[in-house]
Amino acid sequence: EGVADLVLRLLRGAIDPAAPDPTELDRLVEQLSHPSVAVRELALWNLINFADPAAARVPGLTADVGMGSGPAHARLVTGWRARVEEVKRRPPPKK
């Protein structure tokens, strides 16, 4: 998948907010370290907007992903790995 295709997929929303696919959640976390800053930004946008909107109020989970490396970035990725595991364990929404 090329960067342009990936950006388009992320712009459209990479996951179903009602029932996020665990594999896609993990992929979004991995994309926080993608070489493209656009992909990193969109991966974070998907995580916050679709996977876990409450994370926007959690310190450290909304850090700048412009720099794709370093201690602050490593903390961001580690924090999202843990947060995604919590999202995976949530019960499905009632219909």
Side-chain angles (χ1 to χ4, degrees):
E1 184 171 38
V3 173
D5 292 331
L6 180 54
V7 166
L8 283 175
R9 188 172 64 78
L10 291 168
L11 280 169
R12 292 179 181 130
I15 59 171
D16 175 1
D21 178 352
T23 303
E24 288 301 317
L25 290 170
D26 291 336
R27 186 172 292 137
L28 286 170
V29 172
E30 291 306 315
Q31 289 168 344
L32 292 173
S33 298
H34 194 277
S36 168
V37 69
V39 171
R40 292 193 304 267
E41 290 285 355
L42 287 167
L44 181 60
W45 180 79
N46 272 265
L47 286 165
I48 291 171
N49 287 285
F50 300 122
D52 191 4
R57 295 184 300 277
V58 177
L61 293 182
T62 57
D64 180 11
V65 292
M67 296 296 290
S69 62
H73 182 76
R75 284 190 299 276
L76 172 77
V77 173
T78 299
W80 270 109
R81 275 196 188 105
R83 190 73 176 205
V84 159
E85 290 305 316
E86 292 174 21
V87 170
K88 290 178 190 177
R89 289 191 299 268
R90 289 182 188 156
K94 294 181 181 181
K95 295 182 179 185

